[in-house]
Amino acid sequence: MPPPQIRPADFASLLCSRLCHDLLSPVGALNNGIELLADEHDPEMRARCLDLLGESARASANKLKFFRLAFGSAGGFGDAVDAREAKAAIEGLLGDGRIELGWMVSEPAMSKTAIKVLLNLALIAADALVRGGRIDVGAESGEIVIRAEGPRVVLDAELRTALLGETTPDALTPRAAAAWLVHQLVSEQRGSVIVSPVEEGVLMLGATTKRRPAGR
């Protein structure tokens, strides 16, 4: 028997909690930097504060751009989104240089659903690379594959069960909201999600986003 469905309002609340959590650090750094700048009179320290403010502002803007495509309606893009927008969003998310990005997407444009699935899988893969590493992103004909490799790769059980649609409403947490969104979007297309075991520092995530005929 499939697990009970999660109410849209409950899922929206979990997703908002996830967004607030991810934005808290760079926005908090901005606030702290402004407070330090107001009390600092040494020119060298003020310059350093301005550098930190710039870094925090860029990190905040990059996260917002990513979340807009990954979770929002992507208004202004029409039914399809230029794949370069997705690449730029991931590059912004990985802007600290801790994780290298390999891009092997043959499609010049992808549906909004496919873009959301791709971005959220990339987000999950990046979170799994605890000590950094490399993410390779591939997509062709509705098939999306993400390969994450690093010295330490950890995919929490709650993310795995959410990706596979095995989560119950009371067990879903804000941390797993992106994984549940992937499951829901892929299910609507009658596709499937594949999650490999973590072996020798490698994790593979895959999804089919091209709508299939009913009954198949």
Side-chain angles (χ1 to χ4, degrees), residues 11-216:
F11 177 69
S13 177
L14 291 169
L15 191 57
C16 287
S17 295
R18 168 67 196 253
L19 297 179
C20 290
H21 174 272
D22 283 9
L23 287 170
L24 183 60
S25 178
V27 173
L30 274 172
N31 183 66
N32 293 337
I34 291 172
E35 291 180 354
L36 288 173
L37 190 62
D39 297 331
E40 185 58 61
H41 301 290
D42 180 74
E44 185 175 341
M45 290 302 298
R46 286 180 65 85
R48 178 56 179 158
C49 284
L50 288 173
D51 288 341
L52 292 174
L53 284 172
E55 292 174 7
S56 298
R58 284 189 294 274
S60 300
N62 287 336
K63 284 181 179 291
L64 285 171
K65 290 176 183 177
F66 181 91
F67 294 151
R68 181 193 178 204
L69 279 179
F71 302 128
S73 62
F77 287 105
D79 293 332
V81 179
D82 191 322
R84 291 174 297 183
E85 295 285 345
K87 181 183 180 184
I90 297 174
E91 288 174 336
L93 184 72
L94 307 178
D96 61 2
R98 187 177 63 90
I99 299 174
E100 182 182 357
L101 174 64
W103 189 255
M104 294 166 286
V105 176
S106 62
E107 309 281 352
M110 301 170 65
S111 69
K112 288 183 179 180
T113 295
I115 287 290
K116 288 182 187 301
V117 170
L118 185 151
L119 291 177
N120 279 283
L121 287 178
L123 176 63
I124 294 166
D127 286 345
L129 293 175
V130 179
R131 296 179 182 170
R134 178 183 173 91
I135 292 176
D136 290 305
V137 179
E140 184 177 9
S141 301
E143 304 286 340
I144 296 170
V145 177
I146 308 286
R147 183 180 187 274
E149 182 177 7
R152 186 174 181 221
V153 184
V154 178
L155 182 68
D156 289 348
E158 65 173 324
L159 298 182
R160 183 181 296 275
T161 56
L163 281 167
L164 298 175
E166 299 170 355
T167 300
T168 57
D170 59 337
L172 188 64
T173 67
R175 177 175 171 77
W180 181 254
L181 179 60
V182 169
H183 164 71
Q184 288 292 89
L185 292 173
V186 171
S187 295
E188 289 172 1
Q189 301 298 308
R190 305 188 187 97
S192 59
V193 177
I194 298 173
V195 185
S196 78
V198 177
E199 296 181 351
E200 298 182 354
V202 176
L203 170 67
M204 299 288 291
L205 303 174
T208 303
T209 61
K210 189 174 182 180
R211 182 176 288 277
R212 298 176 177 177
R216 292 185 60 182

